[in-house]
Amino acid sequence: MLTLHRARLLFTGSETVEDGAVLVDGAVVAAIGPFAELAGGPARVREWPGLLVPGLLNRHGAWLLETAYHPDPREGAGDRPLLPAGELTDEQRGGSARRGLQRLLAHGATALAGPLHRACVRTAVTRSGLRHLPGPDTGPGPLDPLADGGLDTALHRPLTVGAPADFAVFAAGTAAEPAGGGAPCLATVLDGRLLYRRR
């Protein structure tokens, strides 16, 4: 199925396109460019009122999923990662990891880094579809990959034709300042699938 994602501003990782679009064919990027050049075909069109960027890498993924605890909303403890009061069972750790993965998607993350030692966490990551990259454990850090230094350091890989359709859309952004400033993530797409959409 073809889907054309149109955004007020598109940043591929190397260039910026006003009123840009990404044509997705299944799980891969089929074309990138101005919306006017890509429109008119059989693709379903999704219109986004913000900035479309390549998917983001959270370099603290291992700590966020293996050490921190992501409370269930029914616990009334908020939605920020906490240090657990005691040792968690595998079932509790797996539930925490699944909630943490949803919160990473809600910040535009399509990849995470760091060693994953717990089987229940590895299973949750595999099922989520987020890309897991090997790398050192960078320790505690935020859910928001942009909080670590902005878009330049948070990009997982640029958007290119033929590559996996991994990207995020943020509510704000201009050509002068493509992302950051706490703009909310509107959507996260991984392998062409809309895995998160802000309500």
Side-chain angles (χ1 to χ4, degrees):
M1 173 191 271
L2 292 171
T3 305
L4 187 60
H5 293 267
R6 178 186 189 181
R8 182 172 52 84
L9 190 66
L10 164 67
F11 178 63
T12 66
S14 61
E15 67 175 320
T16 302
V17 182
E18 290 193 37
D19 194 16
V22 176
L23 180 64
V24 175
D25 185 358
V28 301
V29 175
I32 299 171
F35 176 74
E37 293 178 12
L38 300 179
R44 173 181 60 169
V45 177
R46 284 191 185 270
E47 304 226 7
W48 302 107
L51 168 72
L52 189 151
V53 300
L56 306 179
L57 168 64
N58 189 302
R59 299 180 191 283
H60 306 282
W63 181 85
L64 285 164
L65 300 180
E66 295 227 321
T67 303
Y69 175 69
H70 300 272
D72 186 305
R74 294 170 293 191
E75 295 177 66
D79 61 0
R80 294 179 183 239
L82 310 168
L83 288 176
E87 188 60 34
L88 302 177
T89 66
D90 282 350
E91 183 178 345
Q92 291 170 320
R93 178 61 63 195
S96 169
R98 288 188 295 276
R99 291 186 295 273
L101 288 160
Q102 284 300 311
R103 290 168 185 159
L104 285 169
L105 286 166
H107 284 91
T110 58
L112 57 94
L116 299 176
H117 304 290
R118 301 172 190 264
C120 58
V121 173
R122 288 193 304 270
T123 298
V125 171
T126 300
R127 289 181 179 166
S128 75
L130 264 78
R131 316 240 184 246
H132 176 226
L133 308 178
D137 187 347
T138 55
L143 283 164
D144 183 358
L146 295 171
D148 259 353
L151 192 56
D152 290 339
T153 60
L155 292 182
H156 173 214
R157 62 176 160 228
L159 276 173
T160 57
V161 173
D166 297 352
F167 54 88
V169 183
F170 290 88
T174 64
E177 184 183 345
C185 180
L186 300 177
T188 303
V189 173
L190 186 58
D191 279 333
R193 295 174 298 136
L194 183 62
L195 294 186
Y196 168 78
R197 184 170 191 170
R198 186 178 177 88
R199 294 178 181 156

